[in-house]
Amino acid sequence: MSETEQGTPDLERLRRRDAGAFTWLVNEHRALVLSLGRSLGLSGADLDDAAAEAFAAVYGALPGFEGRSQLRTWVYRIAHRTMVKHRRGLKRKRLGALPEEMADPGGPSPAAEAAASEEQRRIWAAVDRLGQREAAAIELHYQRGWSVEEIADAMECPTGTVKTLLFRGRERLRELLSDMERSHDRA
Amino acid sequence: MTEHDEFEDRLRRALRDRPEPESGINLAAEAMRRGREREAAALRWARWRRRGRWLNVAAAILIIGILAVALWRSPAQETAAGSAEVAWADETEEMAETEWLSDEGAMLEICGVLALGMLLFSAVELSLGEPRRWDWALAN
């Protein structure tokens, strides 16, 4: 892992779980982890709780981080595992009792919706309707600019699978967007 | 620019501007609190496991002791009690529906195997040294 940027703590400080270094890590990866939670359908207090769980897991695993993979892909892997498990627990407790359409899809806030253009809103809505893995690959690639190799490392799958997920995701988005445009034109 | 590139560009522009979800809590502080809490719980669990091993050894020694006393006393009792003891045994045998329960030898064998198993388990556990701290992060 290259730690050349100013303000970036070195690996040793992270491993020692120095409070400053850990706060830096959380601030640096907060958006990534929260977006992951959103793509898993979490929102509000559930999202906060799942993100705190994910970072607590990262905190516990930090002494064993060897720096063989990039910090962000390592954090993503732990956060993904933790949040999926957390969501499963939540579903058992609560969502299981609710009809599918009542589950909060975790989309953008009303204020953000209002500020966004029609085109952006349509694309965000379409991404929210993709399968979880496809949505994650699309977001990491197009929103965060991650390479296919980085996504494969974070999602613990071969690069070929990531390429397939991106291809399928794009095709599905194309379909969803054209459907949305057609129904918009009709209205 | 091909249609594919145009679509990719459209996606990139729309998703880049997508607002990030906000958190209503101090994530770093909360994560550190939860992390430390779990580690303290893991250490408590490790201490109980360590105590449990010695309890296991003590229980095994106790069972072996009881067995030894039972084995040592039974022939002596038979001689001392004489015919009364034999009569009592006959009566018990008649009453017992399951034969094996009345078979002292089988019971003693079962207890012996149990005690040896407990001792073996404890020996293996103790030879592994200090219990490893429960790595809840890996379990996650």
Side-chain angles (χ1 to χ4, degrees):
Chain A
M1 183 181 60
S2 66
E3 302 285 2
T4 51
E5 284 171 51
Q6 210 172 5
T8 308
D10 58 27
L11 193 58
E12 214 32 62
R13 271 184 72 201
L14 279 169
R15 268 207 217 119
R16 268 191 283 115
R17 299 191 295 192
D18 168 281
F22 185 69
T23 307
W24 169 86
L25 182 145
V26 172
N27 291 335
E28 200 69 10
H29 299 91
R30 173 197 304 267
L32 175 70
V33 170
L34 289 170
S35 298
L36 169 66
R38 176 174 64 188
S39 74
L40 288 169
L42 298 166
S43 64
D46 289 341
L47 179 58
D48 283 348
D49 195 33
E53 280 296 310
F55 281 118
V58 169
Y59 183 83
L62 262 178
F65 177 59
E66 290 171 356
R68 276 185 304 205
S69 56
Q70 284 194 49
L71 186 59
R72 63 182 184 182
T73 56
W74 181 77
V75 169
Y76 185 93
R77 270 202 302 266
I78 295 177
H80 185 260
R81 261 180 256 153
T82 315
M83 286 178 135
V84 166
K85 204 171 155 190
H86 187 83
R87 188 185 61 162
R88 214 176 292 146
L90 276 178
K91 258 189 181 170
R92 263 200 303 270
K93 268 194 233 157
R94 208 148 21 90
L95 290 180
L98 294 174
E100 250 338 274
E101 62 270 20
M102 280 179 78
D104 192 333
S109 67
E113 281 274 17
S117 69
E118 184 65 29
E119 158 83 349
Q120 285 175 321
R121 269 194 300 240
R122 240 182 260 153
I123 293 180
W124 298 344
V127 170
D128 286 337
R129 286 170 66 182
L130 291 179
Q132 192 266 312
R133 279 166 70 79
E134 284 166 5
I138 292 278
E139 280 191 349
L140 290 176
H141 190 63
Y142 293 107
Q143 188 175 13
R144 305 194 183 280
W146 286 24
S147 67
V148 169
E149 287 75 20
E150 283 174 312
I151 300 172
D153 186 24
M155 293 176 80
E156 297 177 289
C157 62
T159 50
T161 309
V162 176
K163 284 179 189 163
T164 310
L165 286 172
L166 286 173
F167 175 77
R168 269 202 233 138
R170 270 194 307 264
E171 290 310 299
R172 180 90 184 104
L173 280 177
R174 237 190 266 269
E175 279 171 30
L176 286 167
L177 288 170
S178 63
D179 284 353
M180 284 175 180
E181 277 154 20
R182 261 200 303 274
S183 58
H184 183 258
D185 289 346
R186 249 182 267 140
Chain B
M1 196 183 258
T2 63
E3 197 197 330
H4 174 81
D5 293 339
E6 260 176 41
F7 186 67
E8 286 215 318
D9 197 41
R10 198 178 148 195
L11 276 183
R12 203 163 278 130
R13 263 186 287 115
L15 289 175
R16 204 181 39 212
D17 298 335
R18 190 177 195 187
E20 305 284 6
E22 288 293 320
S23 169
I25 55 171
N26 183 342
L27 276 178
E30 180 61 18
M32 274 194 273
R33 188 188 65 77
R34 291 186 191 193
R36 284 177 188 147
E37 226 170 57
R38 267 166 219 179
E39 280 176 359
L43 285 175
R44 272 199 302 276
W45 165 241
R47 265 199 295 272
W48 274 109
R49 266 189 69 193
R50 201 162 37 228
R51 276 180 208 149
R53 287 168 177 180
W54 289 111
L55 276 175
N56 210 8
V57 174
I61 290 171
L62 190 71
I63 292 176
I64 288 174
I66 292 168
L67 274 176
V69 170
L71 286 171
W72 173 68
R73 275 174 63 94
S74 54
Q77 267 180 346
E78 267 174 37
T79 343
S83 56
E85 180 78 15
V86 175
W88 175 81
D90 287 345
E91 205 176 306
T92 317
E93 266 175 23
E94 279 165 23
M95 283 167 71
E97 283 182 14
T98 47
E99 212 174 286
W100 69 273
L101 268 178
S102 65
D103 189 349
E104 263 180 42
M107 287 299 281
L108 288 176
E109 266 176 37
I110 290 169
C111 288
V113 168
L114 190 73
L116 281 176
M118 283 167 82
L119 265 185
L120 191 69
F121 175 74
S122 305
V124 171
E125 277 261 291
L126 287 168
S127 70
L128 292 175
E130 282 295 295
R132 281 185 58 213
R133 212 167 57 182
W134 175 245
D135 198 343
W136 56 269
L138 273 181
N140 281 333

